[in-house]
Amino acid sequence: MSDPMRPRASLRTAVVWEVLKDALDRRVKAAGRESLDVLDTGGGSGNFAVPVARLGHRVTVVDPSPNALFALERRAAEAGVDDRVKGVQGDAHGLFDVVERGGYDVVLCHGVLEYVDNPAEGVRNVVDALRPEGVLSLLAAGLGGAVLSRALAGHFKEARHALDDPDGRWGEGDPVPHRFTADQLTSLVTGAGLRVAAVHGVRVFADLVPGVLVDTEPGALEALLKLEAAAAELAAFHSVATQLHVLGEARGTAGG
């Protein structure tokens, strides 16, 4: 009910959205403010920024693509939240050329870490944008999901290559520079000084189930969403998820 995404797209975003919305609600209570300052790095056209702004928060989106930022502006206007959404051109590497260090209650880093040259530096950078007791929402490509999908497609050598490759790549033609295990991501988050509050597997089943089944079978979408939500928190399924979501919390002065 609280998921503002389109039904089909919600298969890819529902788990992350529910975790993020809960984190925003808790941060509002702890901060004693109804409106938070949220930074969405690599936020593109606003898949998360616009729904977050609908909750009443101020969102700054940093993205290197002018086209994505134009789409964000249009999307925010259509949703009636253009006064709470600001887009600036930039990237995670040069983040503090365009935004304030230590200026945000919540930072979203979704689909960014895969593409930075140094993931550890990338995480430290976005963490530096947090205020004391701030929250990081980190979403990145999972190694196991790629291995499983290549194997199920009959590309067994590529699956094995991804399994053995330090960056989790299945070959030269792989468009994703880095994939991660849950342990690797949590180590990056703790290494940047945050406490890991939660880890979820995202798209555990959604990318494996034929789309025609989900679209045509009555009740299939809702049942699959519930299955994804149930499996997301179980460590056994983190190893086969297409993406992994880690919620990190800064150790502020008030504990928690």
Short mmCIF file of all heavy atoms in Angstrom, two decimals, residues 93-167:
data_model
loop_
_atom_site.label_atom_id
_atom_site.label_comp_id
_atom_site.label_asym_id
_atom_site.label_seq_id
_atom_site.Cartn_x
_atom_site.Cartn_y
_atom_site.Cartn_z
N HIS A 93 32.46 10.57 -7.12
CA HIS A 93 33.88 10.87 -6.96
C HIS A 93 34.09 12.34 -6.59
O HIS A 93 34.87 12.67 -5.69
CB HIS A 93 34.65 10.52 -8.24
CG HIS A 93 36.11 10.84 -8.16
ND1 HIS A 93 36.97 10.15 -7.34
CD2 HIS A 93 36.86 11.80 -8.78
CE1 HIS A 93 38.19 10.65 -7.46
NE2 HIS A 93 38.15 11.65 -8.32
N GLY A 94 33.40 13.24 -7.29
CA GLY A 94 33.53 14.67 -7.02
C GLY A 94 32.33 15.22 -6.27
O GLY A 94 31.92 16.36 -6.50
N LEU A 95 31.79 14.42 -5.37
CA LEU A 95 30.54 14.74 -4.70
C LEU A 95 30.56 16.12 -4.03
O LEU A 95 29.62 16.90 -4.15
CB LEU A 95 30.24 13.66 -3.65
CG LEU A 95 28.85 13.64 -3.03
CD1 LEU A 95 27.77 13.47 -4.11
CD2 LEU A 95 28.75 12.52 -2.00
N PHE A 96 31.67 16.42 -3.34
CA PHE A 96 31.69 17.65 -2.54
C PHE A 96 32.08 18.88 -3.36
O PHE A 96 32.25 19.96 -2.81
CB PHE A 96 32.57 17.45 -1.31
CG PHE A 96 32.06 16.32 -0.46
CD1 PHE A 96 32.81 15.16 -0.29
CD2 PHE A 96 30.80 16.38 0.12
CE1 PHE A 96 32.32 14.11 0.45
CE2 PHE A 96 30.30 15.33 0.86
CZ PHE A 96 31.06 14.19 1.04
N ASP A 97 32.17 18.67 -4.67
CA ASP A 97 32.25 19.82 -5.56
C ASP A 97 30.87 20.44 -5.74
O ASP A 97 30.74 21.60 -6.13
CB ASP A 97 32.80 19.42 -6.93
CG ASP A 97 34.25 18.97 -6.87
OD1 ASP A 97 34.94 19.36 -5.91
OD2 ASP A 97 34.68 18.20 -7.75
N VAL A 98 29.82 19.62 -5.49
CA VAL A 98 28.45 20.08 -5.79
C VAL A 98 27.50 20.04 -4.59
O VAL A 98 26.43 20.64 -4.63
CB VAL A 98 27.84 19.25 -6.95
CG1 VAL A 98 28.57 19.55 -8.25
CG2 VAL A 98 27.85 17.75 -6.66
N VAL A 99 27.87 19.30 -3.51
CA VAL A 99 27.00 19.28 -2.33
C VAL A 99 27.83 19.50 -1.06
O VAL A 99 29.06 19.41 -1.09
CB VAL A 99 26.21 17.95 -2.20
CG1 VAL A 99 25.34 17.70 -3.42
CG2 VAL A 99 27.13 16.77 -1.94
N GLU A 100 27.11 19.72 0.03
CA GLU A 100 27.76 20.04 1.30
C GLU A 100 28.20 18.77 2.03
O GLU A 100 27.45 17.80 2.15
CB GLU A 100 26.76 20.81 2.17
CG GLU A 100 27.28 21.19 3.54
CD GLU A 100 26.17 21.77 4.43
OE1 GLU A 100 25.05 21.97 3.92
OE2 GLU A 100 26.45 22.00 5.62
N ARG A 101 29.41 18.77 2.52
CA ARG A 101 29.91 17.67 3.35
C ARG A 101 29.18 17.69 4.71
O ARG A 101 29.05 18.74 5.33
CB ARG A 101 31.42 17.83 3.57
CG ARG A 101 32.10 16.63 4.20
CD ARG A 101 33.58 16.91 4.40
NE ARG A 101 34.27 17.14 3.14
CZ ARG A 101 34.86 16.18 2.41
NH1 ARG A 101 34.83 14.93 2.84
NH2 ARG A 101 35.49 16.48 1.29
N GLY A 102 28.71 16.53 5.16
CA GLY A 102 28.04 16.45 6.46
C GLY A 102 26.72 17.19 6.51
O GLY A 102 26.29 17.63 7.58
N GLY A 103 26.03 17.29 5.38
CA GLY A 103 24.81 18.10 5.34
C GLY A 103 23.50 17.34 5.23
O GLY A 103 22.45 17.97 5.08
N TYR A 104 23.54 15.99 5.34
CA TYR A 104 22.33 15.22 5.03
C TYR A 104 21.99 14.20 6.11
O TYR A 104 22.86 13.55 6.68
CB TYR A 104 22.47 14.53 3.68
CG TYR A 104 22.66 15.53 2.57
CD1 TYR A 104 23.95 15.96 2.21
CD2 TYR A 104 21.57 16.10 1.93
CE1 TYR A 104 24.12 16.93 1.22
CE2 TYR A 104 21.73 17.06 0.95
CZ TYR A 104 23.01 17.46 0.59
OH TYR A 104 23.17 18.42 -0.38
N ASP A 105 20.68 14.07 6.37
CA ASP A 105 20.20 13.09 7.33
C ASP A 105 20.23 11.67 6.76
O ASP A 105 20.44 10.71 7.49
CB ASP A 105 18.76 13.42 7.73
CG ASP A 105 18.64 14.80 8.35
OD1 ASP A 105 19.15 14.99 9.46
OD2 ASP A 105 18.05 15.68 7.70
N VAL A 106 19.97 11.57 5.48
CA VAL A 106 19.92 10.27 4.80
C VAL A 106 20.60 10.40 3.44
O VAL A 106 20.40 11.39 2.73
CB VAL A 106 18.46 9.80 4.59
CG1 VAL A 106 18.41 8.46 3.86
CG2 VAL A 106 17.73 9.69 5.93
N VAL A 107 21.43 9.42 3.10
CA VAL A 107 22.06 9.38 1.78
C VAL A 107 21.68 8.07 1.08
O VAL A 107 21.81 6.99 1.66
CB VAL A 107 23.60 9.49 1.87
CG1 VAL A 107 24.23 9.28 0.50
CG2 VAL A 107 24.00 10.86 2.42
N LEU A 108 21.21 8.19 -0.15
CA LEU A 108 20.93 7.03 -0.99
C LEU A 108 22.08 6.86 -1.96
O LEU A 108 22.49 7.81 -2.63
CB LEU A 108 19.63 7.24 -1.78
CG LEU A 108 18.29 6.98 -1.09
CD1 LEU A 108 18.14 7.80 0.17
CD2 LEU A 108 17.14 7.27 -2.05
N CYS A 109 22.60 5.63 -2.02
CA CYS A 109 23.65 5.31 -2.99
C CYS A 109 23.21 4.02 -3.67
O CYS A 109 23.58 2.91 -3.27
CB CYS A 109 24.99 5.15 -2.26
SG CYS A 109 26.39 4.82 -3.37
N HIS A 110 22.37 4.15 -4.67
CA HIS A 110 21.75 3.01 -5.34
C HIS A 110 22.29 2.84 -6.75
O HIS A 110 22.20 3.76 -7.57
CB HIS A 110 20.23 3.20 -5.41
CG HIS A 110 19.55 3.23 -4.07
ND1 HIS A 110 18.21 3.53 -3.91
CD2 HIS A 110 20.03 2.96 -2.82
CE1 HIS A 110 17.89 3.47 -2.62
NE2 HIS A 110 18.98 3.13 -1.94
N GLY A 111 22.88 1.68 -7.02
CA GLY A 111 23.38 1.41 -8.37
C GLY A 111 24.56 2.27 -8.77
O GLY A 111 24.77 2.53 -9.96
N VAL A 112 25.34 2.71 -7.79
CA VAL A 112 26.49 3.58 -8.04
C VAL A 112 27.81 2.84 -7.81
O VAL A 112 28.74 2.94 -8.60
CB VAL A 112 26.44 4.84 -7.14
CG1 VAL A 112 27.73 5.65 -7.27
CG2 VAL A 112 25.23 5.69 -7.48
N LEU A 113 27.85 2.09 -6.73
CA LEU A 113 29.10 1.46 -6.29
C LEU A 113 29.70 0.51 -7.33
O LEU A 113 30.92 0.36 -7.40
CB LEU A 113 28.84 0.70 -4.98
CG LEU A 113 30.02 0.57 -4.03
CD1 LEU A 113 30.54 1.93 -3.62
CD2 LEU A 113 29.63 -0.25 -2.80
N GLU A 114 28.84 -0.08 -8.14
CA GLU A 114 29.32 -1.00 -9.18
C GLU A 114 30.23 -0.31 -10.19
O GLU A 114 31.06 -0.95 -10.84
CB GLU A 114 28.13 -1.58 -9.97
CG GLU A 114 27.15 -2.38 -9.16
CD GLU A 114 26.00 -1.55 -8.63
OE1 GLU A 114 26.23 -0.37 -8.28
OE2 GLU A 114 24.88 -2.07 -8.58
N TYR A 115 30.07 1.00 -10.32
CA TYR A 115 30.72 1.71 -11.41
C TYR A 115 31.86 2.64 -10.98
O TYR A 115 32.49 3.28 -11.83
CB TYR A 115 29.67 2.52 -12.20
CG TYR A 115 28.60 1.62 -12.76
CD1 TYR A 115 27.38 1.46 -12.12
CD2 TYR A 115 28.83 0.88 -13.91
CE1 TYR A 115 26.40 0.61 -12.62
CE2 TYR A 115 27.88 0.02 -14.43
CZ TYR A 115 26.67 -0.10 -13.78
OH TYR A 115 25.72 -0.97 -14.27
N VAL A 116 32.12 2.73 -9.68
CA VAL A 116 33.24 3.57 -9.23
C VAL A 116 34.53 2.76 -9.25
O VAL A 116 34.52 1.55 -9.06
CB VAL A 116 32.99 4.16 -7.83
CG1 VAL A 116 31.74 5.03 -7.81
CG2 VAL A 116 32.89 3.07 -6.78
N ASP A 117 35.64 3.44 -9.51
CA ASP A 117 36.94 2.75 -9.61
C ASP A 117 37.35 2.11 -8.29
O ASP A 117 37.90 1.02 -8.26
CB ASP A 117 38.03 3.73 -10.07
CG ASP A 117 37.83 4.18 -11.51
OD1 ASP A 117 37.17 3.45 -12.27
OD2 ASP A 117 38.31 5.28 -11.85
N ASN A 118 37.07 2.81 -7.21
CA ASN A 118 37.46 2.34 -5.88
C ASN A 118 36.22 2.31 -4.98
O ASN A 118 35.85 3.34 -4.40
CB ASN A 118 38.54 3.26 -5.29
CG ASN A 118 39.09 2.75 -3.97
OD1 ASN A 118 38.39 2.08 -3.20
ND2 ASN A 118 40.34 3.06 -3.70
N PRO A 119 35.55 1.15 -4.85
CA PRO A 119 34.31 1.08 -4.07
C PRO A 119 34.47 1.54 -2.62
O PRO A 119 33.59 2.20 -2.08
CB PRO A 119 33.93 -0.40 -4.15
CG PRO A 119 34.51 -0.87 -5.44
CD PRO A 119 35.81 -0.14 -5.56
N ALA A 120 35.60 1.20 -1.98
CA ALA A 120 35.81 1.61 -0.58
C ALA A 120 35.84 3.13 -0.47
O ALA A 120 35.23 3.72 0.44
CB ALA A 120 37.10 1.01 -0.04
N GLU A 121 36.52 3.77 -1.41
CA GLU A 121 36.58 5.23 -1.42
C GLU A 121 35.20 5.81 -1.71
O GLU A 121 34.81 6.83 -1.13
CB GLU A 121 37.58 5.69 -2.49
CG GLU A 121 37.77 7.19 -2.55
CD GLU A 121 38.71 7.60 -3.68
OE1 GLU A 121 39.85 7.09 -3.71
OE2 GLU A 121 38.28 8.39 -4.53
N GLY A 122 34.47 5.15 -2.60
CA GLY A 122 33.12 5.60 -2.94
C GLY A 122 32.20 5.59 -1.73
O GLY A 122 31.43 6.54 -1.51
N VAL A 123 32.27 4.53 -0.93
CA VAL A 123 31.44 4.45 0.27
C VAL A 123 31.85 5.51 1.29
O VAL A 123 31.01 6.19 1.88
CB VAL A 123 31.50 3.04 0.92
CG1 VAL A 123 30.76 3.02 2.24
CG2 VAL A 123 30.89 2.01 -0.03
N ARG A 124 33.16 5.67 1.48
CA ARG A 124 33.63 6.69 2.43
C ARG A 124 33.16 8.08 2.01
O ARG A 124 32.81 8.91 2.86
CB ARG A 124 35.16 6.66 2.53
CG ARG A 124 35.71 5.47 3.30
CD ARG A 124 37.17 5.66 3.66
NE ARG A 124 38.03 5.83 2.50
CZ ARG A 124 38.63 4.84 1.86
NH1 ARG A 124 38.46 3.58 2.28
NH2 ARG A 124 39.41 5.07 0.82
N ASN A 125 33.14 8.32 0.73
CA ASN A 125 32.72 9.62 0.21
C ASN A 125 31.26 9.91 0.55
O ASN A 125 30.93 10.99 1.05
CB ASN A 125 32.93 9.66 -1.32
CG ASN A 125 33.62 10.92 -1.77
OD1 ASN A 125 34.27 11.61 -0.99
ND2 ASN A 125 33.49 11.24 -3.04
N VAL A 126 30.38 8.94 0.27
CA VAL A 126 28.96 9.19 0.53
C VAL A 126 28.69 9.25 2.03
O VAL A 126 27.82 10.00 2.49
CB VAL A 126 28.04 8.16 -0.15
CG1 VAL A 126 28.12 8.30 -1.67
CG2 VAL A 126 28.35 6.73 0.26
N VAL A 127 29.45 8.50 2.82
CA VAL A 127 29.30 8.54 4.28
C VAL A 127 29.68 9.92 4.81
O VAL A 127 29.07 10.43 5.76
CB VAL A 127 30.13 7.43 4.96
CG1 VAL A 127 30.27 7.65 6.46
CG2 VAL A 127 29.49 6.07 4.69
N ASP A 128 30.66 10.55 4.18
CA ASP A 128 31.09 11.88 4.60
C ASP A 128 30.01 12.94 4.37
O ASP A 128 30.11 14.05 4.90
CB ASP A 128 32.37 12.30 3.86
CG ASP A 128 33.62 11.67 4.45
OD1 ASP A 128 33.52 11.08 5.55
OD2 ASP A 128 34.68 11.74 3.80
N ALA A 129 29.00 12.60 3.58
CA ALA A 129 27.90 13.54 3.36
C ALA A 129 26.86 13.48 4.48
O ALA A 129 25.97 14.33 4.55
CB ALA A 129 27.22 13.24 2.02
N LEU A 130 26.98 12.47 5.36
CA LEU A 130 25.99 12.28 6.43
C LEU A 130 26.23 13.19 7.63
O LEU A 130 27.36 13.46 8.01
CB LEU A 130 26.01 10.83 6.92
CG LEU A 130 25.39 9.76 6.02
CD1 LEU A 130 25.67 8.39 6.61
CD2 LEU A 130 23.89 9.99 5.87
N ARG A 131 25.14 13.59 8.25
CA ARG A 131 25.18 14.23 9.55
C ARG A 131 25.40 13.16 10.62
O ARG A 131 25.20 11.96 10.35
CB ARG A 131 23.85 14.95 9.82
CG ARG A 131 23.68 16.21 8.98
CD ARG A 131 22.30 16.81 9.16
NE ARG A 131 22.21 18.06 8.40
CZ ARG A 131 21.08 18.56 7.92
NH1 ARG A 131 19.94 17.92 8.11
NH2 ARG A 131 21.08 19.69 7.23
N PRO A 132 25.78 13.55 11.85
CA PRO A 132 25.84 12.57 12.94
C PRO A 132 24.49 11.87 13.08
O PRO A 132 23.43 12.51 13.00
CB PRO A 132 26.14 13.43 14.17
CG PRO A 132 26.86 14.62 13.61
CD PRO A 132 26.21 14.88 12.28
N GLU A 133 24.53 10.55 13.26
CA GLU A 133 23.34 9.71 13.37
C GLU A 133 22.57 9.60 12.06
O GLU A 133 21.41 9.16 12.05
CB GLU A 133 22.41 10.21 14.49
CG GLU A 133 23.08 10.19 15.87
CD GLU A 133 22.17 10.69 16.97
OE1 GLU A 133 20.96 10.48 16.89
OE2 GLU A 133 22.70 11.28 17.92
N GLY A 134 23.21 9.96 10.95
CA GLY A 134 22.57 9.82 9.64
C GLY A 134 22.49 8.37 9.19
O GLY A 134 23.06 7.47 9.79
N VAL A 135 21.76 8.17 8.10
CA VAL A 135 21.49 6.82 7.58
C VAL A 135 21.93 6.72 6.12
O VAL A 135 21.65 7.60 5.31
CB VAL A 135 19.99 6.49 7.69
CG1 VAL A 135 19.68 5.14 7.04
CG2 VAL A 135 19.54 6.48 9.15
N LEU A 136 22.61 5.61 5.80
CA LEU A 136 23.02 5.33 4.42
C LEU A 136 22.20 4.16 3.89
O LEU A 136 22.12 3.10 4.51
CB LEU A 136 24.50 4.96 4.37
CG LEU A 136 25.01 4.41 3.01
CD1 LEU A 136 24.96 5.49 1.93
CD2 LEU A 136 26.43 3.85 3.15
N SER A 137 21.60 4.35 2.72
CA SER A 137 20.91 3.28 2.00
C SER A 137 21.77 2.92 0.80
O SER A 137 21.90 3.70 -0.15
CB SER A 137 19.52 3.77 1.54
OG SER A 137 18.89 2.79 0.72
N LEU A 138 22.39 1.73 0.86
CA LEU A 138 23.34 1.31 -0.16
C LEU A 138 22.79 0.11 -0.92
O LEU A 138 22.47 -0.93 -0.33
CB LEU A 138 24.67 0.93 0.50
CG LEU A 138 25.80 0.42 -0.39
CD1 LEU A 138 26.26 1.52 -1.35
CD2 LEU A 138 26.98 -0.06 0.45
N LEU A 139 22.65 0.25 -2.23
CA LEU A 139 22.13 -0.83 -3.09
C LEU A 139 23.14 -1.10 -4.20
O LEU A 139 23.55 -0.17 -4.90
CB LEU A 139 20.79 -0.41 -3.70
CG LEU A 139 20.09 -1.42 -4.62
CD1 LEU A 139 19.59 -2.63 -3.82
CD2 LEU A 139 18.93 -0.75 -5.35
N ALA A 140 23.58 -2.35 -4.32
CA ALA A 140 24.59 -2.69 -5.32
C ALA A 140 24.35 -4.08 -5.88
O ALA A 140 23.62 -4.90 -5.31
CB ALA A 140 25.99 -2.60 -4.71
N ALA A 141 24.98 -4.35 -7.01
CA ALA A 141 24.82 -5.63 -7.70
C ALA A 141 25.39 -6.78 -6.88
O ALA A 141 26.49 -6.69 -6.34
CB ALA A 141 25.50 -5.57 -9.06
N GLY A 142 24.63 -7.86 -6.78
CA GLY A 142 25.06 -9.03 -6.04
C GLY A 142 25.78 -10.04 -6.93
O GLY A 142 25.36 -10.29 -8.07
N LEU A 143 26.84 -10.62 -6.42
CA LEU A 143 27.61 -11.61 -7.17
C LEU A 143 26.79 -12.86 -7.48
O LEU A 143 26.74 -13.33 -8.62
CB LEU A 143 28.86 -12.00 -6.38
CG LEU A 143 29.65 -13.20 -6.91
CD1 LEU A 143 30.22 -12.91 -8.29
CD2 LEU A 143 30.75 -13.59 -5.94
N GLY A 144 26.12 -13.39 -6.47
CA GLY A 144 25.41 -14.65 -6.64
C GLY A 144 24.33 -14.61 -7.69
O GLY A 144 24.14 -15.57 -8.44
N GLY A 145 23.62 -13.50 -7.76
CA GLY A 145 22.56 -13.37 -8.76
C GLY A 145 23.09 -13.46 -10.17
O GLY A 145 22.46 -14.07 -11.05
N ALA A 146 24.26 -12.86 -10.41
CA ALA A 146 24.86 -12.90 -11.75
C ALA A 146 25.33 -14.31 -12.10
O ALA A 146 25.14 -14.79 -13.22
CB ALA A 146 26.04 -11.93 -11.82
N VAL A 147 25.94 -14.99 -11.13
CA VAL A 147 26.40 -16.37 -11.36
C VAL A 147 25.21 -17.26 -11.69
O VAL A 147 25.24 -18.04 -12.65
CB VAL A 147 27.14 -16.91 -10.11
CG1 VAL A 147 27.46 -18.39 -10.28
CG2 VAL A 147 28.41 -16.11 -9.86
N LEU A 148 24.14 -17.12 -10.92
CA LEU A 148 22.95 -17.94 -11.12
C LEU A 148 22.30 -17.68 -12.48
O LEU A 148 21.93 -18.61 -13.20
CB LEU A 148 21.95 -17.66 -10.00
CG LEU A 148 20.73 -18.57 -9.92
CD1 LEU A 148 21.15 -20.02 -9.70
CD2 LEU A 148 19.80 -18.11 -8.80
N SER A 149 22.19 -16.40 -12.85
CA SER A 149 21.53 -16.07 -14.11
C SER A 149 22.34 -16.55 -15.32
O SER A 149 21.77 -17.03 -16.29
CB SER A 149 21.28 -14.55 -14.22
OG SER A 149 22.50 -13.84 -14.30
N ARG A 150 23.68 -16.46 -15.24
CA ARG A 150 24.51 -16.96 -16.36
C ARG A 150 24.39 -18.47 -16.46
O ARG A 150 24.30 -19.02 -17.56
CB ARG A 150 25.99 -16.56 -16.17
CG ARG A 150 26.30 -15.09 -16.10
CD ARG A 150 25.57 -14.25 -17.10
NE ARG A 150 26.08 -14.38 -18.46
CZ ARG A 150 25.53 -13.80 -19.52
NH1 ARG A 150 24.44 -13.07 -19.37
NH2 ARG A 150 26.06 -13.96 -20.72
N ALA A 151 24.37 -19.14 -15.33
CA ALA A 151 24.26 -20.60 -15.34
C ALA A 151 22.91 -21.05 -15.90
O ALA A 151 22.84 -21.98 -16.71
CB ALA A 151 24.46 -21.15 -13.93
N LEU A 152 21.84 -20.39 -15.48
CA LEU A 152 20.50 -20.77 -15.95
C LEU A 152 20.32 -20.47 -17.44
O LEU A 152 19.47 -21.08 -18.09
CB LEU A 152 19.43 -20.04 -15.14
CG LEU A 152 19.29 -20.50 -13.68
CD1 LEU A 152 18.27 -19.64 -12.94
CD2 LEU A 152 18.91 -21.96 -13.60
N ALA A 153 21.12 -19.53 -17.96
CA ALA A 153 21.07 -19.23 -19.39
C ALA A 153 21.97 -20.17 -20.20
O ALA A 153 22.05 -20.06 -21.42
CB ALA A 153 21.50 -17.78 -19.63
N GLY A 154 22.63 -21.10 -19.50
CA GLY A 154 23.50 -22.06 -20.18
C GLY A 154 24.92 -21.60 -20.39
O GLY A 154 25.71 -22.27 -21.03
N HIS A 155 25.27 -20.44 -19.83
CA HIS A 155 26.63 -19.90 -19.98
C HIS A 155 27.47 -20.31 -18.76
O HIS A 155 27.80 -19.50 -17.90
CB HIS A 155 26.58 -18.37 -20.10
CG HIS A 155 25.72 -17.89 -21.23
ND1 HIS A 155 25.94 -18.25 -22.54
CD2 HIS A 155 24.64 -17.06 -21.24
CE1 HIS A 155 25.03 -17.66 -23.32
NE2 HIS A 155 24.23 -16.95 -22.55
N PHE A 156 27.81 -21.59 -18.72
CA PHE A 156 28.45 -22.15 -17.52
C PHE A 156 29.87 -21.63 -17.31
O PHE A 156 30.28 -21.41 -16.17
CB PHE A 156 28.42 -23.67 -17.59
CG PHE A 156 27.06 -24.24 -17.84
CD1 PHE A 156 26.79 -25.04 -18.95
CD2 PHE A 156 26.01 -23.92 -16.99
CE1 PHE A 156 25.52 -25.54 -19.18
CE2 PHE A 156 24.73 -24.42 -17.21
CZ PHE A 156 24.48 -25.23 -18.32
N LYS A 157 30.60 -21.42 -18.39
CA LYS A 157 31.96 -20.90 -18.26
C LYS A 157 31.94 -19.47 -17.73
O LYS A 157 32.77 -19.08 -16.91
CB LYS A 157 32.70 -20.96 -19.60
CG LYS A 157 33.07 -22.38 -20.03
CD LYS A 157 33.85 -22.37 -21.33
CE LYS A 157 34.24 -23.80 -21.73
NZ LYS A 157 34.97 -23.81 -23.03
N GLU A 158 30.98 -18.69 -18.22
CA GLU A 158 30.85 -17.31 -17.74
C GLU A 158 30.44 -17.29 -16.27
O GLU A 158 30.93 -16.46 -15.49
CB GLU A 158 29.83 -16.55 -18.59
CG GLU A 158 30.31 -16.27 -20.01
CD GLU A 158 29.30 -15.50 -20.84
OE1 GLU A 158 28.16 -15.31 -20.36
OE2 GLU A 158 29.65 -15.09 -21.96
N ALA A 159 29.54 -18.20 -15.90
CA ALA A 159 29.12 -18.29 -14.49
C ALA A 159 30.32 -18.60 -13.60
O ALA A 159 30.50 -17.99 -12.54
CB ALA A 159 28.04 -19.35 -14.33
N ARG A 160 31.15 -19.54 -14.03
CA ARG A 160 32.32 -19.91 -13.25
C ARG A 160 33.32 -18.76 -13.20
O ARG A 160 33.97 -18.51 -12.17
CB ARG A 160 32.98 -21.15 -13.86
CG ARG A 160 34.27 -21.61 -13.18
CD ARG A 160 34.04 -21.90 -11.69
NE ARG A 160 35.28 -22.07 -10.98
CZ ARG A 160 35.93 -23.24 -10.84
NH1 ARG A 160 35.42 -24.34 -11.39
NH2 ARG A 160 37.05 -23.31 -10.18
N HIS A 161 33.46 -18.04 -14.32
CA HIS A 161 34.37 -16.90 -14.38
C HIS A 161 33.96 -15.84 -13.36
O HIS A 161 34.79 -15.30 -12.63
CB HIS A 161 34.38 -16.31 -15.79
CG HIS A 161 35.47 -15.30 -16.03
ND1 HIS A 161 35.40 -14.01 -15.54
CD2 HIS A 161 36.65 -15.38 -16.68
CE1 HIS A 161 36.49 -13.34 -15.89
NE2 HIS A 161 37.26 -14.15 -16.59
N ALA A 162 32.64 -15.55 -13.31
CA ALA A 162 32.14 -14.55 -12.36
C ALA A 162 32.41 -14.99 -10.92
O ALA A 162 32.75 -14.18 -10.06
CB ALA A 162 30.65 -14.32 -12.57
N LEU A 163 32.27 -16.28 -10.70
CA LEU A 163 32.47 -16.84 -9.36
C LEU A 163 33.91 -16.65 -8.89
O LEU A 163 34.17 -16.38 -7.71
CB LEU A 163 32.10 -18.32 -9.38
CG LEU A 163 31.80 -19.01 -8.06
CD1 LEU A 163 30.67 -18.33 -7.33
CD2 LEU A 163 31.48 -20.48 -8.31
N ASP A 164 34.85 -16.79 -9.82
CA ASP A 164 36.27 -16.71 -9.48
C ASP A 164 36.87 -15.31 -9.60
O ASP A 164 37.93 -15.04 -9.04
CB ASP A 164 37.08 -17.66 -10.39
CG ASP A 164 36.73 -19.12 -10.16
OD1 ASP A 164 36.26 -19.43 -9.04
OD2 ASP A 164 36.93 -19.95 -11.07
N ASP A 165 36.18 -14.44 -10.35
CA ASP A 165 36.73 -13.11 -10.62
C ASP A 165 36.65 -12.22 -9.37
O ASP A 165 35.61 -12.18 -8.70
CB ASP A 165 35.96 -12.46 -11.78
CG ASP A 165 36.58 -11.15 -12.21
OD1 ASP A 165 37.63 -11.19 -12.88
OD2 ASP A 165 36.02 -10.08 -11.87
N PRO A 166 37.72 -11.50 -9.03
CA PRO A 166 37.70 -10.65 -7.83
C PRO A 166 36.64 -9.54 -7.89
O PRO A 166 36.18 -9.07 -6.85
CB PRO A 166 39.11 -10.06 -7.76
CG PRO A 166 39.75 -10.35 -9.08
CD PRO A 166 39.06 -11.53 -9.66
N ASP A 167 36.27 -9.14 -9.10
CA ASP A 167 35.24 -8.11 -9.25
C ASP A 167 33.87 -8.70 -9.57
O ASP A 167 32.90 -7.95 -9.79
CB ASP A 167 35.64 -7.10 -10.32
CG ASP A 167 36.82 -6.25 -9.89
OD1 ASP A 167 36.83 -5.82 -8.71
OD2 ASP A 167 37.73 -6.01 -10.71
#
